[in-house]
Amino acid sequence: NIIIKNLSKEYVMGKVIVKAVNNIDLDFEKGEFTVLAGPSGSGKTTVLNAIGGMDDPTNGKILVDNVNICELSNSEISDFRKDKLGFIFQQYNLIPVLTAFENIRFSLDIMKKLSKKEKAIKVEQIMEEMDILEYKKHRPDELSGGQQQRVAVARALVKDPEIILADEPTANLDSKTGETILQLMKRMNVEKNITFIFSSHDKRIIEFAKRVVWLEDGKIKNIENR
Amino acid sequence: NIIIKNLSKEYVMGKVIVKAVNNIDLDFEKGEFTVLAGPSGSGKTTVLNAIGGMDDPTNGKILVDNVNICELSNSEISDFRKDKLGFIFQQYNLIPVLTAFENIRFSLDIMKKLSKKEKAIKVEQIMEEMDILEYKKHRPDELSGGQQQRVAVARALVKDPEIILADEPTANLDSKTGETILQLMKRMNVEKNITFIFSSHDKRIIEFAKRVVWLEDGKIKNIENR
Ligand SMILES: Nc1ncnc2c1ncn2[C@@H]1O[C@H](COP(=O)(O)OP(=O)(O)OP(=O)(O)O)[C@@H](O)[C@H]1O
Ligand SMILES: Nc1ncnc2c1ncn2[C@@H]1O[C@H](COP(=O)(O)OP(=O)(O)OP(=O)(O)O)[C@@H](O)[C@H]1O
Ligand SMILES: [Mg+2]
Ligand SMILES: [Mg+2]
């Protein structure tokens, strides 16, 4: 599980202090299916980046299975991300020189225990489920926006990690495709007890979620439990 | 107005030919408020990029006010884009080393006839309307996803061009912010007779539009006139 205490993230810009996250307390249980919602600029990505160890908070603690990840060294954080986490970035962050297939397989490469053949089967299977198998040899700049997004989603899901942090995973997808991906994530959540924490404006995700944490100006405004 | 005849765009990838757009005929009248809709990968961005002279089609003609833009030289195309067009990119394409304010003012710089002071007033006004004035000194990597998107939208709108091509302009915005921007665009369309052509999955844009062109696999599947 994840325990966040007094989390703050500030940016100093000249004389102005931007409080992206302002003293948040928030807990997540194993196997949750929860979304961080709220207006553009309310702090959703900043909270996800903090949980994912992508960014150092200005203040506060983040305990993941009782280990405070804010106190880990760079190599310990990178092991944490490799072993426990799948991250879907809001801007995809695909590797431009690799094909769609190689981008997804890359996240299995860092988990050493599979053979090359086993990896290829897992990558093809998730690409089939996301309806992007036909584009496996395309590089990111040879893919549509929504196809790039699905490669970014597949790259996180293929790992079957303990925790998946998904930042706006359906923003560039049509209803039917977005729905299919949400159903797939829900199945992984129920069958494998994987914890999903989303950031999203998408009504479909907010309706699917078991819990909605509403942020505004870096603070928690309201929590809905379904 | 815009007349598209026999438009095709193909990519050759090894032995496979990807038909991104497959022989489309489509006309747009001045002052339209139209959306290209359809599944991810159906060809929406490719059609917008062709109209905007961003990409050479494999085949076909695109007449803008009776000039075939496919036959223009590079410098003539760049004049066409500078004088007549505002483009909102699906991935924003902001200039990383400039602030939000400078990114928006840059699109006025290429229209020589305003003084520095007049430009600053126009930039501040559009940023105020898009609720991003407070972030004017932030660079793109110091902005949230939806804030970057609004800078990209503002950069196109501030020019008051004849034609605005908007590729998924609300994908990363919450309902309220997306709604505000759509109302602003509708006002510009009605008051200044600016032609808007959108690519979008967003139900709000599809409902707002006067005409919906449904694409599938690079072809026009259906056209709805409201
Ligand atoms: N450079 C390229 N090389 C090969 N195929 C490409 C290239 N660019 C685009 N494509 C393909 O052309 C098709 C249409 O792409 P396009 O970006 O127009 O779709 P779209 O409707 O905008 O999709 P989305 O809603 O996901 O943004 C896609 O299947 C894509 O993979
Ligand atoms: N590097 C930075 N420097 C200064 N301010 C920043 C920086 N990164 C983010 N911010 C600010 O922090 C606030 C929160 O940003 P964040 O990306 O978490 O918002 P968000 O809720 O994900 O928004 P969106 O829905 O638009 O993606 C924003 O107002 C943003 O401008
Ligand atoms: Mg965000
Ligand atoms: Mg597109």
Side-chain angles (χ1 to χ4, degrees):
Chain A
N1 62 347
I2 300 167
I3 298 173
I4 298 175
K5 282 259 170 293
N6 300 120
L7 182 68
S8 284
K9 178 73 184 177
E10 291 177 3
Y11 297 100
V12 180
M13 303 195 62
K15 292 185 207 98
V16 179
I17 294 182
V18 178
K19 291 196 173 181
V21 171
N22 190 351
N23 199 27
I24 278 185
D25 293 330
L26 185 54
D27 297 350
F28 297 94
E29 286 176 28
K30 175 126 191 68
E32 272 204 35
F33 201 82
T34 295
V35 63
L36 307 179
S40 172
S42 55
K44 304 178 296 298
T45 293
T46 306
V47 171
L48 282 189
N49 286 351
I51 297 171
M54 309 296 293
D55 200 8
D56 291 336
T58 309
N59 203 5
K61 261 186 213 175
I62 300 175
L63 300 174
V64 180
D65 298 340
N66 295 324
V67 173
N68 183 0
I69 64 166
C70 305
E71 289 176 349
L72 295 182
S73 69
N74 280 346
S75 66
E76 287 168 329
I77 282 264
S78 132
D79 285 348
F80 158 67
R81 281 207 301 268
K82 198 173 63 186
D83 299 338
K84 293 202 172 187
L85 217 60
F87 206 109
I88 302 166
F89 295 91
Q90 188 165 1
Q91 315 284 341
Y92 320 151
N93 292 8
L94 298 179
I95 299 171
V97 295
L98 298 183
T99 66
F101 179 89
E102 291 164 346
N103 261 283
I104 297 166
R105 189 184 59 192
F106 182 76
S107 84
L108 287 182
D109 283 349
I110 48 184
M111 298 173 102
K112 290 283 164 284
K113 48 196 177 302
L114 295 170
S115 76
K116 192 165 177 183
K117 197 160 170 54
E118 284 166 331
K119 283 179 195 166
I121 290 169
K122 279 175 92 69
V123 173
E124 300 226 341
Q125 189 188 349
I126 192 80
M127 291 189 88
E128 175 92 50
E129 286 185 273
M130 313 278 290
D131 206 7
I132 49 173
L133 188 55
E134 184 182 349
Y135 305 103
K136 69 183 211 186
K137 290 192 178 156
H138 289 224
R139 286 192 320 268
D141 62 347
E142 296 170 337
L143 290 168
S144 80
Q147 288 165 349
Q148 293 176 39
Q149 182 151 45
R150 281 177 279 165
V151 173
V153 172
R155 180 175 65 174
L157 300 190
V158 78
K159 280 173 77 173
D160 273 343
E162 275 181 41
I163 303 164
I164 290 181
L165 304 176
D167 201 342
E168 300 284 354
T170 57
N172 267 285
L173 299 176
D174 58 276
S175 304
K176 197 160 141 276
T177 310
E179 201 78 32
T180 308
I181 287 174
L182 268 179
Q183 302 277 4
L184 171 63
M185 289 178 171
K186 192 67 198 145
R187 234 175 28 238
M188 292 174 70
N189 169 254
V190 171
E191 292 172 3
K192 298 172 185 172
N193 209 23
I194 293 175
T195 305
F196 278 85
I197 306 173
F198 296 87
S199 152
S200 184
H201 300 299
D202 188 333
K203 284 207 172 36
R204 292 166 298 189
I205 295 186
I206 293 170
E207 276 152 26
F208 245 85
K210 280 252 164 288
R211 193 161 70 125
V212 185
V213 177
W214 293 94
L215 296 183
E216 201 170 289
D217 292 331
K219 288 184 183 154
I220 294 178
K221 196 157 179 254
N222 183 24
I223 298 184
E224 275 178 58
N225 288 293
R226 307 289 179 69
Chain B
N1 60 349
I2 300 168
I3 298 172
I4 298 174
K5 282 258 173 294
N6 301 120
L7 182 69
S8 284
K9 178 73 185 178
E10 291 178 4
Y11 296 100
V12 179
M13 304 197 62
K15 292 186 206 94
V16 180
I17 295 183
V18 178
K19 291 195 172 184
V21 172
N22 191 351
N23 201 25
I24 279 185
D25 294 330
L26 185 53
D27 296 350
F28 298 93
E29 286 177 28
K30 177 129 189 66
E32 273 203 34
F33 201 82
T34 294
V35 63
L36 307 179
S40 170
S42 54
K44 305 179 293 296
T45 292
T46 306
V47 172
L48 283 188
N49 285 352
I51 297 171
M54 307 298 293
D55 201 8
D56 292 334
T58 309
N59 204 2
K61 260 185 214 176
I62 300 175
L63 299 175
V64 180
D65 298 340
N66 297 324
V67 173
N68 184 0
I69 63 166
C70 304
E71 289 175 349
L72 295 180
S73 69
N74 280 347
S75 65
E76 286 168 329
I77 282 263
S78 129
D79 285 347
F80 158 66
R81 281 207 300 266
K82 197 174 65 187
D83 300 337
K84 293 203 172 186
L85 218 60
F87 206 110
I88 303 167
F89 296 91
Q90 188 165 1
Q91 315 284 342
Y92 319 151
N93 292 9
L94 297 179
I95 299 171
V97 294
L98 298 182
T99 65
F101 180 88
E102 292 164 346
N103 262 283
I104 298 165
R105 189 185 58 193
F106 182 76
S107 85
L108 287 182
D109 281 349
I110 50 183
M111 298 173 103
K112 289 283 164 283
K113 50 196 176 300
L114 296 169
S115 75
K116 192 166 177 182
K117 198 161 170 51
E118 284 166 328
K119 282 178 194 167
I121 290 169
K122 279 175 96 65
V123 174
E124 300 226 341
Q125 189 187 350
I126 192 82
M127 290 188 88
E128 175 92 50
E129 285 184 273
M130 314 277 290
D131 207 8
I132 48 173
L133 187 57
E134 148 182 28
Y135 305 104
K136 69 183 212 186
K137 290 194 178 153
H138 290 225
R139 285 192 320 270
D141 62 348
E142 296 170 338
L143 290 168
S144 79
Q147 288 165 349
Q148 292 176 39
Q149 181 150 46
R150 280 178 279 166
V151 173
V153 173
R155 181 176 63 176
L157 300 190
V158 77
K159 280 172 78 174
D160 273 343
E162 275 180 40
I163 303 165
I164 290 181
L165 304 177
D167 200 342
E168 301 284 355
T170 56
N172 269 284
L173 299 175
D174 56 298
S175 300
K176 196 162 142 279
T177 310
E179 201 76 32
T180 309
I181 287 175
L182 268 179
Q183 302 278 3
L184 171 61
M185 289 178 170
K186 191 68 198 145
R187 236 178 24 240
M188 292 175 70
N189 168 255
V190 171
E191 291 172 4
K192 299 173 184 169
N193 209 23
I194 293 175
T195 305
F196 278 85
I197 306 173
F198 296 87
S199 154
S200 183
H201 301 299
D202 187 333
K203 286 209 170 29
R204 292 166 299 190
I205 294 187
I206 293 171
E207 277 154 25
F208 244 84
K210 279 248 165 281
R211 193 161 70 125
V212 184
V213 177
W214 293 94
L215 295 183
E216 201 170 289
D217 293 330
K219 289 185 182 157
I220 294 177
K221 196 155 182 256
N222 183 24
I223 296 184
E224 274 178 60
N225 289 295
R226 306 289 179 68

